[in-house]
């Protein structure tokens, strides 16, 4: 099962802020779904490449009309890669896995955090992401190899966790190319938009 991906001025701004001893801004994104709205706060200072990548997909409208195609209660919900007809959307190049840097900065795959999905290859993430439904310690970076690289956390749900948990309880089964774990009541991302920055 395929878990699933630019340096932009945001990265430069984060570096400048850190150099000046200033607190970085954590961008926030609203994910409006057919089951309710989620608000993500993104860790621009701790996972700059991953956040820049995610924000570009938001601004490009990539997530609009995609679905949460994989739901496993007490584990995670995953989306950002397939449309309502289970067609996989075209993505940009894959990005560097920032899990090692993240774990050093205290980012763990804990309840409510958002991480990049990927294949077995450590640096294969593109647009797909998942929300942790519990503390998934086994997904954290432990070593710089294919077994231990982990999954890069880049934000957290700051509003709408009740919606996340509601989605987690949906009945699952087959859907499109997926023999299991597809919610039988489709969960559509209707729109994704950058809303504000939380000052630290």
């Amino acid at each position: 099962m395929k878990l699933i991906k630019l340096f932009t001025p945001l990265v430069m701004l984060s570096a400048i802020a850190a150099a000046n001893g200033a607190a970085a801004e954590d961008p926030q994104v609203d994910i409006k779904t057919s089951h309710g709205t989620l608000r993500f706060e993104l860790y621009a200072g701790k996972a700059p490449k991953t956040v820049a990548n995610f924000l570009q997909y938001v601004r490009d409208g990539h997530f609009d009309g995609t679905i949460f195609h994989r739901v496993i209660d007490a584990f995670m919900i995953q989306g950002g890669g397939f449309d309502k007809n289970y067609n996989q959307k075209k993505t940009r190049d894959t990005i560097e896995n920032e899990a090692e840097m993240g774990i050093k900065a205290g980012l763990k795959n804990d309840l409510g955090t958002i991480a990049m999905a990927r294949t077995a290859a450590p640096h294969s993430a593109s647009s797909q992401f998942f929300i942790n439904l519990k503390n998934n310690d086994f997904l954290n970076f432990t070593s710089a190899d294919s077994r231990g690289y982990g999954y890069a956390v880049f934000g957290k749900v700051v509003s709408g966790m009740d919606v996340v948990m509601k989605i987690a309880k949906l009945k699952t089964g087959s859907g499109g190319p997926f023999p299991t774990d597809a919610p039988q009541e489709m969960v559509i991302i209707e729109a994704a938009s950058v809303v504000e920055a939380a000052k630290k």
Side-chain angles (χ1 to χ4, degrees):
M1 179 61 242
K2 187 176 182 180
L3 264 181
I4 315 252
K5 252 175 167 207
L6 315 177
F7 262 119
T8 70
L10 176 62
V11 180
M12 295 176 64
L13 289 173
S14 297
I16 292 169
N20 292 335
E25 293 183 349
D26 290 335
Q28 294 189 343
V29 169
D30 271 358
I31 306 292
K32 182 183 178 184
T33 82
S34 53
H35 285 61
T37 299
L38 317 176
R39 178 163 291 188
F40 294 170
E41 184 172 287
L42 310 180
Y43 302 128
K46 297 178 179 179
K49 295 179 184 179
T50 311
V51 169
N53 175 71
F54 187 82
L55 288 174
Q56 191 62 56
Y57 277 115
V58 171
R59 294 184 176 113
D60 289 346
H62 173 90
F63 296 124
D64 301 357
T66 60
I67 60 173
F68 280 97
H69 63 275
R70 191 167 181 241
V71 171
I72 304 177
D73 191 19
F75 177 35
M76 59 94 225
I77 66 173
Q78 179 179 334
F82 293 84
D83 66 20
K84 291 179 283 188
N85 295 314
Y86 289 99
N87 296 312
Q88 190 162 9
K89 297 190 70 172
K90 185 177 180 180
T91 62
R92 301 192 308 275
D93 291 341
T94 58
I95 61 169
E96 178 185 347
N97 187 331
E98 294 184 301
E100 181 176 8
M101 181 172 68
I103 202 72
K104 291 176 180 177
L107 299 184
K108 298 179 180 180
N109 282 277
D110 288 343
L111 171 66
T113 58
I114 308 153
M116 293 304 296
R118 60 174 177 81
T119 67
H123 305 288
S124 59
S126 57
S127 68
Q128 292 189 42
F129 62 92
F130 62 91
I131 302 171
N132 286 292
L133 300 178
K134 67 179 183 66
N135 293 351
N136 289 313
D137 294 341
F138 72 100
L139 298 180
N140 295 331
F141 176 90
T142 56
S143 58
D145 54 59
S146 59
R147 290 180 60 87
Y149 223 102
Y151 295 79
V153 172
F154 65 98
K156 65 181 177 182
V157 178
V158 293
S159 177
M161 200 63 196
D162 58 328
V163 177
V164 172
M165 291 306 188
K166 182 170 65 173
I167 293 170
K169 296 299 183 182
L170 293 175
K171 181 181 178 181
T172 58
S174 63
F178 307 106
T180 60
D181 302 326
Q184 300 301 280
E185 181 182 344
M186 191 164 280
V187 183
I188 303 165
I189 296 177
E190 298 171 347
S193 59
V194 180
V195 289
E196 63 183 73
K199 299 285 186 178
K200 295 298 182 182

